[in-house]
Amino acid sequence: TGSDYVKFSRDIDARDDSMFEYLLELSNGISPTHTGILNLTGKLIAGDGFVPEQANDEATKLWLEQANPYESWDDLLGKIARDYAIFNTYVLQVVWSKDGKKPVHFYSIPVHQVRAGEVNEFNQVTHYWIKDNWLANNRYYNQSLLVNYTQTGDKPICLPAFDPSKSITEPVQILYIRKPDNSQPYYTIPDYFSAQDYFLIEKNLAVLNSASL
């Protein structure tokens, strides 16, 4: 049911679960300066992408050309670079071969669609929950902060965390990569978050100037 997922809250009482969606909203033009920096950061992370032609053998070259049946590695890299710029995190769905000896497909999952399950007795996250819209039917979040977000009411699905030792029994896994954050055991607060008030000031100044014309 997704009942053990860990919220990423903007509220002290942790009832709210809108931090990821709020970060996404901040990236979507509230501050042109912030949006421009994020776009540049994503491009710098991706760099020139992969160069299959420089592979030492044909098998490696073929592997580098396609991350999955629908995307090249450059397509996938663009997605995870953008997510890392916004969230300091990216998420991959890893699909193993039938014999469990190697991963054969990689897919990017949008970070804001993923929530961690609670850690086990060894302080490890063993599974993740994926859902298109975690804010549907959530009465605690402030709708006015998330004007571009659409509610769908879908149910979460659960996938195991990345573990090569279980590649046969659990052939589809979630690889969750985030910048370490000592203040957050499950998620990461982006480096730019302390400047959010300045993004909103830029937005409000633009609105004020438009109204005065």
Side-chain angles (χ1 to χ4, degrees):
T1 62
S3 60
D4 75 333
Y5 81 88
V6 179
K7 296 178 180 180
F8 194 16
S9 177
R10 297 179 60 231
D11 292 345
I12 296 177
D13 59 14
R15 296 181 302 174
D16 175 84
D17 187 33
S18 66
M19 177 64 91
F20 283 122
E21 287 74 17
Y22 178 66
L23 296 175
L24 191 62
E25 187 73 14
L26 286 179
S27 73
N28 287 332
I30 284 181
S31 162
T33 302
H34 177 55
T35 300
I37 292 173
L38 289 178
N39 290 339
L40 177 59
T41 301
K43 291 179 181 179
L44 291 174
I45 293 173
D48 293 328
F50 293 88
V51 186
E53 294 76 13
Q54 295 182 2
N56 295 324
D57 58 85
E58 191 64 23
T60 302
K61 178 181 177 181
L62 290 174
W63 191 83
L64 285 174
E65 287 178 348
Q66 292 292 126
N68 58 64
Y70 312 102
E71 298 175 302
S72 70
W73 274 103
D74 285 344
D75 294 331
L76 186 67
L77 181 60
K79 291 180 178 180
I80 64 177
R82 174 67 177 173
D83 269 358
Y84 197 81
I86 296 173
F87 304 106
N88 284 178
T89 301
Y90 67 88
V91 183
L92 290 176
Q93 176 181 298
V94 181
V95 180
W96 290 86
S97 59
K98 291 183 178 180
D99 60 10
K101 292 184 178 180
K102 62 180 181 180
V104 291
H105 299 311
F106 297 82
Y107 299 87
S108 172
I109 298 181
V111 172
H112 68 278
Q113 294 181 0
V114 182
R115 299 292 187 273
E118 294 180 354
V119 296
N120 61 16
E121 64 271 25
F122 303 109
N123 204 37
Q124 297 177 326
V125 176
T126 61
H127 61 283
Y128 293 89
W129 294 94
I130 297 95
K131 182 178 178 181
D132 286 343
N133 183 3
W134 285 96
L135 300 185
N137 303 319
N138 184 338
R139 63 190 177 89
Y140 294 114
Y141 82 98
N142 186 342
Q143 176 70 47
S144 65
L145 294 175
L146 304 162
V147 294
N148 295 328
Y149 210 73
T150 303
Q151 298 189 31
T152 60
D154 58 306
K155 295 182 179 180
I157 62 171
C158 184
L159 289 175
F162 184 76
D163 186 346
S165 69
K166 298 180 179 180
S167 59
I168 294 180
T169 58
E170 298 175 346
V172 180
Q173 303 175 349
I174 295 298
L175 180 60
Y176 195 97
I177 304 295
R178 70 185 184 99
K179 182 177 180 179
D181 186 339
N182 293 332
S183 67
Q184 298 286 332
Y186 292 96
Y187 307 117
T188 294
I189 297 176
D191 299 330
Y192 62 76
F193 188 69
S194 60
Q196 62 175 310
D197 288 343
Y198 294 97
F199 308 156
L200 299 176
I201 288 173
E202 184 175 12
K203 173 188 175 183
N204 292 332
L205 283 174
V207 172
L208 181 62
N209 289 335
S210 297
S212 65
L213 294 178

